[in-house]
């Protein structure tokens, strides 16, 4: 264990980029005179603000004026004759901000700003309005890419900076449209970097700032004093909905990866390591002989994946990726998600008591077996249920454990037996039917015998294995067996 402790300082200095961070700190200075204190950000704002836009969305929703008209007793006497009981349409609007990042009209905003919108309108700082097309929407990072057509005239842009160079204490400006009152600029400092576990998105790894950010600022710019776009303002920590001085921005390096996918025919498939692990807590660290929590303990390695090819084994601890220290699992996921297929990167790995460097070539998660999405049909209880084969790539899209295998229920048709009695619900994993083990969708062809007088099947639902028995048109029951 002494060997482990001896190498901890080395991995922090060499692989976590501490030397670079110290050098960056030395490049920054505080004001040296009263004249410097009086300096203004106005020139910076004048250059940056034209690239920040207001975004307005509209969605048509259908609703009834009163739930009374759906009452069965009311319908029994009056039917559906009353026009005032018919569904009516109304328009629901929302607002946010966005940032132009290419002169041909490519705009970055938050996914939650445009989610479910039927129409998206972009208003430039000079008050020109354009209809926008959604090029890519990624709820996992809460980012979306829009496109507007402004003609041949190039639009003002903000250049994406390197968010890894952001340090606590750096001065930043937030530009957006809070509360829809119009473009507003607020200033502050970076309060923290690499904020994880905030529950905002799947790849939570945020720049925290005390610059005032309020509803409507979502999708707006967080810029440094050099005018570079450091992040996209996304969320605030507040019990009232107003700014409490804690705002979070998606780092520019994540924006780059989503933008890259949007410009590549809109397909977003993130590379992976092929490992499943957990954050190293203080208890785990003590058991490993480490003097502090940090890193990701590898629990499992996907056969044939990049990690296995690099010699990473269960029980190893990933301490750093490409010179960046890894504190927890969300931090590891963020680092890998910002990279590309084929990138060859160094990992600092604690293995058998020593810190070792492993070079790994990132790959896309495989779709093996093919998803084979199938809607079940026939005279059996599962008619109208859509299923598919799980694989690392498909599981990534479904946002479930990439190592899971088998057949998963994707959708249940309305008015189907399963919709009525919950024989199957979305997310169930089929394990067996009438004694036939279900490994692939194709296994259902033989398992679903239409002449069977009853169906005994096992499923995994919400982490528990259940055995269910369906006697068509007579009975249905389920029992948790483990």
């Amino acid at each position: 264990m002494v060997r482990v402790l001896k190498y901890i300082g080395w991995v922090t200095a060499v692989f976590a980029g501490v030397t670079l961070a110290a050098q960056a700190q030395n490049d920054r200075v505080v004001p040296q005179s009263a004249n410097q204190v009086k300096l203004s950000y106005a020139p910076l704002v004048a250059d940056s603000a034209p690239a920040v836009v207001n975004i307005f969305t509209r969605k048509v929703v259908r609703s009834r004026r009163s739930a009374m008209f759906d009452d069965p007793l009311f319908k029994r006497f009056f039917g559906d004759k009353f026009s005032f009981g018919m569904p009516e349409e109304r328009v629901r609007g929302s607002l946010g901000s966005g940032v132009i990042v290419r002169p041909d009209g490519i705009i970055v905003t938050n996914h939650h700003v445009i989610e479910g919108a039927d129409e998206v309108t972009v208003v430039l700082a000079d008050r020109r309005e354009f209809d926008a097309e959604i090029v890519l929407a990624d709820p996992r990072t809460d980012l979306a890419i829009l496109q507007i057509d402004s003609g041949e005239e190039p639009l003002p842009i903000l250049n994406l900076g390197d968010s890894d160079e952001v340090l606590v204490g750096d001065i930043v400006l937030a530009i957006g449209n809070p509360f829809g009152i119009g473009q507003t600029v607020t200033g502050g400092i970076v309060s923290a970097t690499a904020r994880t576990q905030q529950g905002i998105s799947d790849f939570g790894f945020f720049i925290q700032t005390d610059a005032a950010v309020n509803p409507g600022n979502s999708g707006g710019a967080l810029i440094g004093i050099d005018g570079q776009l450091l992040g996209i303002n996304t969320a605030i920590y507040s019990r009232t909905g107003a700014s409490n001085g804690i705002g979070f921005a998606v780092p520019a390096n994540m924006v780059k990866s989503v933008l890259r996918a949007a410009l590549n025919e809109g397909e977003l498939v993130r590379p992976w390591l092929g490992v499943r692990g957990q954050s190293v807590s203080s208890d785990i660290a003590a058991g490993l002989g480490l003097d502090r929590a940090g890193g990701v303990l590898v629990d499992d390695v996907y056969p044939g994946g990049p990690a296995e090819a690099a010699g990473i084994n269960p029980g190893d601890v990933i301490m750093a990726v490409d010179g960046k220290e890894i504190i927890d699992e969300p931090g590891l996921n963020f680092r890998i998600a910002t990279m590309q297929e084929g990138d060859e990167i160094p990992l600092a790995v604690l293995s058998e008591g020593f810190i070792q460097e492993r070079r790994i070539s990132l790959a896309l998660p495989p779709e093996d077996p093919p998803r084979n999405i199938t809607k079940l049909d026939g005279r059996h209880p599962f008619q109208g249920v859509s299923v598919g084969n799980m694989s690392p790539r498909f599981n990534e899209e479904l946002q479930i454990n990439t190592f899971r295998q088998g057949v998963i229920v994707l959708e249940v048709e309305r008015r189907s037996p399963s919709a009525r009695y919950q024989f199957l619900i979305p997310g169930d994993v089929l394990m067996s039917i009438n004694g036939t083990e279900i490994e692939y969708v194709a296994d259902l062809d033989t398992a679903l015998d239409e002449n069977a007088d009853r169906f005994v099947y096992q499923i995994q639902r919400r982490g528990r294995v259940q055995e269910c028995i369906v006697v068509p048109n007579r009975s249905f029951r389920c029992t948790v067996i483990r």
Side-chain angles (χ1 to χ4, degrees):
M1 294 306 175
V2 175
R3 292 177 298 178
V4 174
L5 297 177
K6 178 181 178 181
Y7 282 96
I8 294 304
W10 178 78
V11 70
T12 303
V14 176
F15 288 99
V18 170
T19 302
L20 294 177
Q23 181 179 353
Q25 286 178 330
N26 292 334
D27 292 338
R28 292 162 168 81
V29 296
V30 298
Q32 302 296 309
S33 67
N35 287 335
Q36 289 184 356
V37 173
K38 295 177 182 177
L39 293 176
S40 172
Y41 296 120
L44 171 61
V45 173
D47 289 340
S48 304
V52 181
V53 302
N54 297 338
I55 296 177
F56 299 91
T57 66
R58 299 175 184 84
K59 179 180 180 180
V60 177
V61 295
R62 294 170 62 85
S63 63
R64 292 183 182 272
R65 297 182 184 179
S66 172
M68 175 185 72
F69 302 116
D70 289 325
D71 184 89
L73 184 62
F74 184 91
K75 285 187 173 183
R76 178 179 177 184
F77 288 98
F78 300 103
D80 292 321
K81 299 178 182 178
F82 294 90
S83 61
F84 53 83
M86 297 300 291
E88 62 175 6
E89 293 185 350
R90 58 188 177 87
V91 177
R92 177 184 299 164
S94 64
L95 58 88
S97 306
V99 183
I100 307 172
V101 293
R102 281 174 52 114
D104 58 353
I106 295 294
I107 296 170
V108 179
T109 187
N110 283 141
H111 174 266
H112 73 260
V113 169
I114 54 87
E115 184 177 10
D118 296 316
E119 299 177 17
V120 180
T121 301
V122 170
V123 182
L124 305 187
D126 60 10
R127 299 183 300 282
R128 285 184 294 165
E129 296 188 10
F130 299 93
D131 292 332
E133 173 191 356
I134 300 174
V135 179
L136 187 149
D138 182 29
R140 301 196 68 186
T141 57
D142 196 19
L143 292 173
I145 309 299
L146 311 179
Q147 169 85 67
I148 62 173
D149 183 3
S150 62
E152 297 182 358
E153 179 184 356
L155 296 173
I157 67 169
L158 284 179
N159 292 313
L160 289 161
D162 185 353
S163 52
D164 285 339
E165 294 183 354
V166 175
L167 298 177
V168 175
D170 282 353
I171 296 173
V172 289
L173 301 180
I175 309 176
N177 181 22
F179 300 110
I181 62 175
Q183 192 176 85
T184 301
V185 181
T186 55
I189 63 170
V190 173
S191 309
T193 59
R195 282 295 193 213
T196 60
Q197 310 293 346
Q198 301 303 318
I200 301 170
S201 69
D202 288 350
F203 294 95
F205 192 89
F206 300 95
I207 299 171
Q208 180 182 322
T209 175
D210 69 347
V213 176
N214 289 287
N217 272 108
S218 291
L222 185 72
I223 65 172
I225 57 174
D226 58 357
Q228 298 280 303
L229 181 64
L230 302 179
I232 297 295
N233 294 315
T234 295
I236 59 175
Y237 182 86
S238 174
R239 291 186 174 90
T240 64
S243 175
N244 283 342
I246 301 178
F248 301 100
V250 178
N253 288 354
M254 178 60 82
V255 176
K256 291 176 185 177
S257 68
V258 176
L259 182 61
R260 188 166 53 234
L263 300 177
N264 183 26
E265 300 180 358
E267 184 179 8
L268 181 58
V269 182
R270 297 179 177 89
W272 77 323
L273 287 176
V275 301
R276 184 168 58 88
Q278 58 181 307
S279 303
V280 174
S281 64
S282 56
D283 290 339
I284 295 175
L288 294 171
L290 301 174
D291 62 351
R292 71 197 68 182
V296 173
L297 175 64
V298 176
D299 294 327
D300 201 0
V301 178
Y302 193 83
E308 184 183 68
I312 295 175
N313 299 303
D316 291 348
V317 179
I318 300 174
M319 308 291 290
V321 173
D322 197 23
K324 310 295 191 307
E325 185 181 10
I326 298 300
I327 303 299
D328 52 23
E329 188 179 18
L332 174 62
N333 294 338
F334 171 85
R335 292 298 175 192
I336 301 303
T338 60
M339 297 176 181
Q340 301 183 68
E341 175 192 11
D343 284 352
E344 188 171 311
I345 57 173
L347 271 62
V349 178
L350 172 63
S351 180
E352 298 180 349
F354 291 94
I355 298 294
Q356 306 174 20
E357 179 182 305
R358 304 284 173 79
R359 297 199 69 83
I360 189 166
S361 181
L362 297 179
L364 298 181
E367 188 166 326
D368 182 23
R371 62 191 68 188
N372 189 20
I373 297 175
T374 302
K375 184 176 180 180
L376 303 179
D377 196 11
R379 299 178 60 185
H380 52 71
F382 312 123
Q383 180 269 332
V385 173
S386 294
V387 296
N389 292 321
M390 290 187 287
S391 69
R393 182 174 298 191
F394 193 31
N395 293 2
E396 174 79 12
E397 295 177 18
L398 297 174
Q399 301 178 33
I400 60 176
N401 180 0
T402 55
F403 279 48
R404 293 188 68 178
Q405 298 176 321
V407 176
I408 187 170
V409 175
L410 302 171
E411 188 177 358
V412 175
E413 189 179 61
R414 293 182 60 188
R415 300 187 179 88
S416 68
S418 285
R420 189 175 300 115
Y421 301 110
Q422 293 195 333
F423 297 149
L424 295 172
I425 64 174
D428 285 351
V429 177
L430 287 164
M431 301 176 66
S432 67
I433 298 178
N434 285 348
T436 300
E437 186 177 352
I438 307 300
E439 294 185 28
Y440 307 103
V441 170
D443 296 330
L444 294 169
D445 292 337
T446 56
L448 293 174
D449 182 2
E450 295 184 0
N451 296 319
D453 57 3
R454 72 174 190 163
F455 293 83
V456 180
Y457 62 99
Q458 289 188 359
I459 57 174
Q460 187 177 65
R461 176 179 293 179
R462 301 188 182 99
R464 293 186 174 184
V465 176
Q466 300 183 15
E467 182 172 89
C468 303
I469 302 175
V470 177
V471 179
N473 302 316
R474 292 185 59 184
S475 64
F476 166 61
R477 64 181 176 85
C478 284
T479 304
V480 176
I481 60 176
R482 63 176 184 272

